[in-house]
Amino acid sequence: SRRQRQMCIRDSYTSSRQHNGSAPAASFPLLYHYLSRIFREFQEKEPLYQQAVHGLLFSLFSEINRITMSAADSVMSESGDSYSYIRSALSYLYAHYNEPFSVSGLAEHCCISESHLRRLFKNMVGISPLEYLQHYRIQQACHLIHLNQMPVSVIAQQVGYSSLSSFNRQFQQYMHMSPSEWKKEHLADATPHEVRSYDDHRTRHI
């Protein structure tokens, strides 16, 4: 009905003003133009004003759709860039997890600022890049311990720790037991040359 159309137009106009904090003419001149013309047609009610309002409404809603689609494309583009940065960062960590690490170096590899990388990692992965690296190093250590082919001290160096004490500390933090205790518990009943899965209740969260 005409009354419903008037209320819809009024609500759109009010919402536009509230959203932008100023008159819509500044950000959306075409919307402001169509809304102003529609209100004037209703006020003056010159001959054929209803047909004029129908045409203006069509133009108004077309412009709203155009603005909405443009905003959605912008969000999708930004989201796509974010995923691209995270994929690049994770690929680098997987390939270089056992090397000396710095967040600034990882950010440089991804061609973004360190603060931007930290923010993306926190939002999309849930933890910081360094925390993720520590998780991955311990996961790899669990795998090597299961293979049972080298001492724990060698495994610590293999996964990127410069000292056995720092490795033991990180392992204790994530696994709630020392590497030697974890090895004893998980390999006690293993047959010779058997490689058991390390995807158990202690490592699944990594």
Side-chain angles (χ1 to χ4, degrees), residues 54-96:
H54 280 298
L56 290 168
L57 281 172
F58 179 82
S59 299
L60 173 67
F61 292 134
S62 296
E63 182 64 15
I64 290 174
N65 286 336
R66 183 181 293 118
I67 292 172
T68 303
M69 292 176 63
S70 177
D73 290 342
S74 177
V75 170
M76 289 297 293
S77 176
E78 181 178 349
S79 177
D81 289 343
S82 299
Y83 280 111
S84 177
Y85 290 136
I86 291 299
R87 281 196 301 268
S88 178
L90 292 179
S91 296
Y92 183 86
L93 288 178
Y94 295 150
H96 304 277

Side-chain angles (χ1 to χ4, degrees), residues 9-204:
I9 295 168
R10 182 197 63 196
D11 292 342
S12 299
Y13 183 79
T14 302
S15 176
S16 178
R17 291 181 63 91
Q18 291 175 344
H19 178 74
N20 291 285
S22 60
S27 301
F28 307 107
L30 276 179
L31 290 184
Y32 182 79
H33 170 73
Y34 293 139
L35 286 168
S36 300
R37 285 285 307 277
I38 290 170
F39 278 114
R40 189 163 65 248
E41 290 289 346
F42 275 121
Q43 289 172 352
E44 297 177 355
K45 294 184 179 179
E46 296 183 355
L48 302 179
Y49 82 94
Q50 291 180 328
Q51 289 85 340
V53 168
H54 280 298
L56 290 168
L57 281 172
F58 179 82
S59 299
L60 173 67
F61 292 134
S62 296
E63 182 64 15
I64 290 174
N65 286 336
R66 183 181 293 118
I67 292 172
T68 303
M69 292 176 63
S70 177
D73 290 342
S74 177
V75 170
M76 289 297 293
S77 176
E78 181 178 349
S79 177
D81 289 343
S82 299
Y83 280 111
S84 177
Y85 290 136
I86 291 299
R87 281 196 301 268
S88 178
L90 292 179
S91 296
Y92 183 86
L93 288 178
Y94 295 150
H96 304 277
Y97 72 93
N98 56 353
E99 300 175 5
F101 172 79
S102 69
V103 179
S104 60
L106 181 61
E108 183 177 353
H109 169 77
C110 298
C111 301
I112 57 177
S113 68
E114 182 177 342
S115 60
H116 190 189
L117 176 64
R118 289 182 184 277
R119 184 168 59 254
L120 287 180
F121 232 89
K122 192 68 175 178
N123 291 340
M124 304 181 73
V125 182
I127 55 178
S128 70
L130 181 58
E131 288 176 303
Y132 189 91
L133 174 65
Q134 301 288 13
H135 276 280
Y136 189 72
R137 282 177 171 177
I138 297 302
Q139 182 190 55
Q140 296 304 306
C142 290
H143 174 68
L144 293 175
I145 291 173
H146 264 295
L147 293 178
N148 198 23
Q149 296 176 348
M150 60 185 75
V152 171
S153 59
V154 176
I155 291 176
Q157 294 180 343
Q158 288 281 329
V159 299
Y161 291 93
S162 58
S163 69
L164 181 59
S165 60
S166 61
F167 171 69
N168 286 336
R169 185 170 57 253
Q170 289 294 329
F171 199 99
Q172 180 77 38
Q173 176 182 339
Y174 290 115
M175 308 308 298
H176 308 294
M177 63 175 65
S178 70
S180 58
E181 290 171 336
W182 194 87
K183 178 178 181 179
K184 182 179 180 180
E185 178 178 313
H186 286 75
L187 298 183
D189 58 349
T191 58
H193 310 297
E194 177 186 6
V195 178
R196 302 173 63 205
S197 171
Y198 55 91
D199 184 22
D200 62 14
H201 71 282
R202 296 183 184 276
T203 58
R204 193 171 297 122

